Amino acid sequence: MSIDYQSLAVEGVRSLTPYQPGKPIEELAREYGLEPDEIVKLASNENPLGPSPVAMEAAREALEEMCRYPDGNAFTLKQALARYLQVVPSQLTLGNGSNDVLEVIARCFAGPGDEVVYAQHAFAVYPLVTLAIGAKGVEVSAKDWGHDLPAMADAISDRTRLVFIANPNNPTGTVEGETAIRAFLDRVPERVLVVLDEAYCEYLAGTDDDVDGISLLRDYPNLVVTRTFSKAWGLAALRVGYAVSSPSIADILNRVRQPFNVDTVAQAAATAVLGDLEYLERSREVNRKGLEQLTAGFADLGLEWIPSAGNFVAVDVGTNAQEIFQGLLEQGVIVRPVAGYGMPRHLRVSVGLAEENERFLEALKRVLERREA
Ligand SMILES: *Cc1c(COP(=O)(O)O)cnc(C)c1O
């Protein structure tokens, strides 16, 4: 008798479904016999500008050191980041992407039998890290696609250890204002940690929804804010994210994270890009215009979308979103189906350059027309 090794996995892990990443360009090229440069990928909320030249230069230089282990405490990056955020370095925990930090937070503060609260349609990594540690996920119904913060406060029990909030949320693009977040935090017992995931906060600058989680740390010691270099900063492949918290919480997180979880090239590029504020500004501008272009295109096609504060937008294409997704693939356009998020009618489209957005909108029009014919 051979052993069924899957049955040996811990219970939470057995119930996991794998995270579905955006389809890589090379994979679509192989499957459909397309040239990689004819493919438009708007599926992973990456920065369409390409990397900052300043970050590229720093990364190239850092490659010279690839035979040595990285600085496990990332002294230079933490100094630069602390200055940029106006916090002290002991408040920072770096991760191999902020996904890594989210996982470390869950492992440090929850375990089997504990409850972790998050919202319906919220970022897929929250249930993933919750189930992986054997904790119980408590999913609170969304309100107008966004977080129903009063209902989330109601869902906190004696067993709750953690709450995850994505602001803005992926894949809905919804954002909760500072008043609502403060009202929520006022209701959360101090023994419950609240993780405010601000992966897209850079895109809020100058809007009415410009919530800055870090400014809330003073009033709420149970708050942990996470951010990333993967989106507006354009370093998704290098995997750098971080948490900002009290030094006491950061001390715990830093004990558990892998000692060399951010590599030398990533540290160098992230440090350098923090000095390239022009790149950040250009990223915001391209995003603002791209969102206008995409939503104007949806309006022309008679489609509804969820207003987004991020660098992507979820559009309602009707009951057969999977078929539309396939049709777009055949036209060399990769977007993201979000049925796994309980949104079977929507596709999530990342904001691209003007010509990429145009290619996508034209392809979408063709696919929709073909369905009607
Ligand atoms: C993209 C994203 C992240 C960050 O991912 P990393 O690349 O691991 O930093 C975190 N949270 C949300 C909501 C995201 O969409």
Coordinates of all heavy atoms in Angstrom, one line a residue, residues 19 44-45 96-100 102 123 125-126 166-170 197-200 226-231 236 239-242 312 348, ligand 1:
Y19 N -2.8 29.8 -5.4 CA -2.9 31.2 -5.8 C -2.8 31.1 -7.4 O -2.0 30.5 -7.9 CB -1.8 32.0 -5.2 CG -1.9 33.5 -5.7 CD1 -2.7 34.4 -5.1 CD2 -1.0 33.9 -6.7 CE1 -2.8 35.7 -5.5 CE2 -1.1 35.2 -7.1 CZ -1.9 36.1 -6.5 OH -1.9 37.4 -6.9
S44 N -1.4 41.6 -14.0 CA -0.8 41.5 -12.6 C -0.5 42.8 -12.0 O 0.3 42.9 -11.0 CB 0.5 40.7 -12.8 OG 0.2 39.4 -13.3
N45 N -1.2 43.9 -12.4 CA -1.1 45.2 -11.8 C 0.4 45.7 -11.7 O 0.8 46.3 -10.7 CB -1.7 45.2 -10.4 CG -3.2 44.8 -10.5 OD1 -3.8 44.8 -11.5 ND2 -3.8 44.5 -9.3
N96 N 10.1 39.4 1.2 CA 10.3 39.0 -0.2 C 9.0 39.3 -0.9 O 8.2 38.4 -1.1 CB 10.7 37.5 -0.2 CG 11.3 37.1 -1.5 OD1 10.7 36.4 -2.3 ND2 12.4 37.6 -1.8
G97 N 8.7 40.6 -1.1 CA 7.4 41.0 -1.5 C 6.6 41.2 -0.2 O 6.9 40.6 0.8
S98 N 5.5 42.0 -0.3 CA 4.7 42.1 0.9 C 3.9 40.9 1.2 O 3.5 40.6 2.4 CB 3.8 43.4 0.9 OG 3.0 43.4 -0.2
N99 N 3.7 40.0 0.2 CA 3.1 38.7 0.5 C 3.9 37.9 1.6 O 3.3 37.3 2.4 CB 3.1 37.8 -0.7 CG 1.9 38.3 -1.7 OD1 0.9 38.7 -1.2 ND2 2.2 38.1 -3.0
D100 N 5.2 38.0 1.5 CA 6.0 37.4 2.5 C 5.7 38.0 3.9 O 5.6 37.2 4.9 CB 7.5 37.6 2.1 CG 8.5 36.9 3.0 OD1 8.2 35.9 3.6 OD2 9.6 37.4 3.1
L102 N 3.0 39.4 4.9 CA 1.6 39.1 5.3 C 1.7 37.7 5.9 O 1.0 37.4 7.0 CB 0.7 39.1 4.1 CG 0.4 40.5 3.5 CD1 -0.4 40.3 2.2 CD2 -0.3 41.4 4.4
F123 N -8.2 40.5 -1.1 CA -7.0 39.9 -1.7 C -6.8 38.4 -1.3 O -6.9 38.1 -0.1 CB -5.8 40.7 -1.2 CG -4.5 40.4 -1.9 CD1 -4.3 40.2 -3.2 CD2 -3.3 40.3 -1.1 CE1 -3.1 39.9 -3.8 CE2 -2.1 40.0 -1.6 CZ -2.0 39.8 -3.0
V125 N -4.5 36.4 -0.8 CA -3.4 35.9 0.1 C -3.9 35.8 1.5 O -3.3 35.1 2.3 CB -2.1 36.8 -0.1 CG1 -1.1 36.6 1.0 CG2 -1.5 36.6 -1.5
Y126 N -4.9 36.6 1.9 CA -5.4 36.5 3.3 C -5.9 35.2 3.7 O -5.5 34.6 4.7 CB -6.4 37.6 3.6 CG -6.0 39.0 3.1 CD1 -6.9 40.0 2.8 CD2 -4.6 39.4 3.1 CE1 -6.6 41.2 2.3 CE2 -4.3 40.7 2.6 CZ -5.2 41.6 2.2 OH -4.9 42.8 1.8
A166 N -7.5 45.4 2.9 CA -6.7 45.9 1.8 C -7.3 47.3 1.4 O -8.5 47.4 1.1 CB -6.9 44.9 0.6
N167 N -6.5 48.3 1.4 CA -6.9 49.6 1.1 C -6.0 50.4 0.2 O -4.9 50.9 0.7 CB -7.2 50.4 2.4 CG -8.2 51.4 2.3 OD1 -9.3 51.2 1.8 ND2 -7.9 52.6 2.8
P168 N -6.2 50.6 -1.1 CA -7.3 50.0 -1.8 C -7.3 48.5 -1.9 O -6.2 47.9 -1.8 CB -7.2 50.6 -3.2 CG -6.3 51.8 -3.1 CD -5.4 51.5 -1.9
N169 N -8.5 47.9 -2.2 CA -8.5 46.4 -2.3 C -8.3 46.0 -3.7 O -8.6 46.7 -4.7 CB -9.9 45.9 -1.8 CG -10.0 44.4 -1.9 OD1 -9.1 43.7 -1.4 ND2 -11.1 43.9 -2.5
N170 N -7.6 44.9 -3.8 CA -7.4 44.1 -5.1 C -8.3 42.9 -5.0 O -8.1 42.1 -4.0 CB -5.9 43.8 -5.2 CG -5.7 42.8 -6.3 OD1 -6.5 42.6 -7.2 ND2 -4.5 42.2 -6.3
D197 N -3.3 46.7 4.5 CA -2.4 46.4 3.3 C -2.6 47.6 2.3 O -3.6 47.7 1.7 CB -2.9 45.1 2.7 CG -2.2 44.7 1.5 OD1 -1.4 45.5 0.9 OD2 -2.4 43.5 1.1
E198 N -1.5 48.4 2.2 CA -1.6 49.5 1.4 C -0.7 49.4 0.1 O 0.1 50.2 -0.2 CB -1.1 50.8 2.2 CG -2.1 51.1 3.3 CD -1.8 52.4 4.0 OE1 -0.6 52.9 4.0 OE2 -2.7 53.1 4.5
A199 N -0.9 48.2 -0.6 CA 0.0 47.9 -1.7 C -0.2 49.0 -2.8 O 0.7 49.2 -3.7 CB -0.4 46.5 -2.3
Y200 N -1.4 49.7 -2.8 CA -1.6 50.6 -3.9 C -1.7 52.1 -3.4 O -2.2 53.0 -4.1 CB -3.0 50.3 -4.6 CG -2.9 48.9 -5.2 CD1 -3.4 47.8 -4.5 CD2 -2.3 48.7 -6.5 CE1 -3.3 46.5 -5.0 CE2 -2.2 47.4 -7.0 CZ -2.7 46.3 -6.3 OH -2.6 45.0 -6.8
T226 N 1.2 47.5 5.7 CA 2.1 46.8 4.8 C 2.1 47.6 3.4 O 1.1 48.1 3.0 CB 1.8 45.3 4.5 OG1 0.5 45.2 4.0 CG2 1.9 44.5 5.8
R227 N 3.3 47.6 2.8 CA 3.4 48.3 1.5 C 4.4 47.5 0.6 O 5.0 46.6 1.1 CB 3.9 49.7 1.7 CG 2.8 50.6 2.4 CD 3.2 52.0 2.4 NE 2.2 52.9 3.0 CZ 2.4 54.1 3.2 NH1 3.5 54.8 2.8 NH2 1.4 54.8 3.8
T228 N 4.5 47.9 -0.6 CA 5.3 47.1 -1.6 C 6.0 48.0 -2.6 O 5.6 49.1 -2.9 CB 4.4 46.1 -2.3 OG1 5.2 45.3 -3.2 CG2 3.3 46.8 -3.1
F229 N 7.1 47.4 -3.1 CA 7.8 48.1 -4.3 C 7.3 47.5 -5.6 O 7.9 47.8 -6.6 CB 9.3 47.9 -4.1 CG 9.9 48.8 -3.1 CD1 10.1 48.4 -1.8 CD2 10.3 50.1 -3.5 CE1 10.6 49.3 -0.8 CE2 10.9 50.9 -2.5 CZ 11.1 50.5 -1.2
S230 N 6.3 46.6 -5.5 CA 5.9 45.8 -6.7 C 5.0 46.6 -7.7 O 5.0 46.3 -8.9 CB 5.2 44.5 -6.4 OG 6.0 43.7 -5.6
K231 N 4.3 47.6 -7.2 CA 3.3 48.2 -8.0 C 3.8 49.6 -8.5 O 4.5 49.6 -9.5 CB 2.0 48.3 -7.2 CG 1.5 47.0 -6.6 CD 1.0 46.0 -7.6 CE 0.9 44.6 -7.2 NZ 0.3 44.2 -5.9
A236 N 8.3 44.6 -9.4 CA 7.6 43.4 -9.0 C 8.5 42.1 -9.0 O 8.4 41.3 -8.2 CB 6.4 43.2 -9.9
R239 N 10.9 41.4 -5.8 CA 10.2 41.0 -4.6 C 10.7 41.8 -3.3 O 11.6 41.3 -2.6 CB 10.5 39.5 -4.3 CG 10.3 38.6 -5.5 CD 8.9 38.6 -6.1 NE 7.9 38.4 -5.2 CZ 6.8 39.2 -5.0 NH1 6.7 40.4 -5.7 NH2 5.9 38.9 -4.1
V240 N 10.2 43.0 -3.2 CA 10.5 43.7 -1.9 C 9.2 44.4 -1.4 O 8.5 45.1 -2.2 CB 11.5 44.9 -2.1 CG1 12.1 45.3 -0.8 CG2 12.6 44.6 -3.1
G241 N 8.9 44.0 -0.2 CA 7.7 44.7 0.4 C 8.1 44.9 1.9 O 9.2 44.5 2.3
Y242 N 7.2 45.5 2.7 CA 7.6 45.8 4.1 C 6.4 46.0 4.9 O 5.3 46.4 4.4 CB 8.6 46.9 4.2 CG 8.1 48.2 3.6 CD1 7.4 49.2 4.4 CD2 8.3 48.5 2.2 CE1 7.0 50.4 3.8 CE2 7.8 49.7 1.7 CZ 7.2 50.6 2.5 OH 6.7 51.8 1.9
F312 N -5.7 49.3 -11.7 CA -6.5 48.2 -12.3 C -7.9 48.6 -12.2 O -8.3 49.5 -11.4 CB -6.2 46.9 -11.7 CG -6.5 46.9 -10.2 CD1 -7.7 46.6 -9.7 CD2 -5.5 47.3 -9.3 CE1 -8.0 46.7 -8.4 CE2 -5.8 47.4 -7.9 CZ -7.0 47.1 -7.5
R348 N -10.6 41.6 -14.3 CA -9.7 42.7 -13.8 C -8.7 43.0 -14.8 O -7.9 42.1 -15.3 CB -9.1 42.2 -12.5 CG -8.4 43.4 -11.7 CD -7.4 42.9 -10.7 NE -6.3 42.3 -11.3 CZ -5.3 41.6 -10.7 NH1 -5.4 41.4 -9.4 NH2 -4.3 41.1 -11.3
Ligands
LIG1 C1 0.0 43.1 -5.3 C2 -0.5 43.1 -3.9 C3 0.4 42.9 -2.8 C4 1.8 42.9 -3.0 O1 2.4 41.9 -3.5 P1 4.0 41.7 -3.4 O2 4.5 41.7 -4.8 O3 4.2 40.4 -2.7 O4 4.6 42.9 -2.6 C5 -0.2 43.0 -1.6 N1 -1.4 43.2 -1.4 C6 -2.3 43.4 -2.4 C7 -3.7 43.7 -2.1 C8 -1.8 43.4 -3.7 O5 -2.7 43.5 -4.7

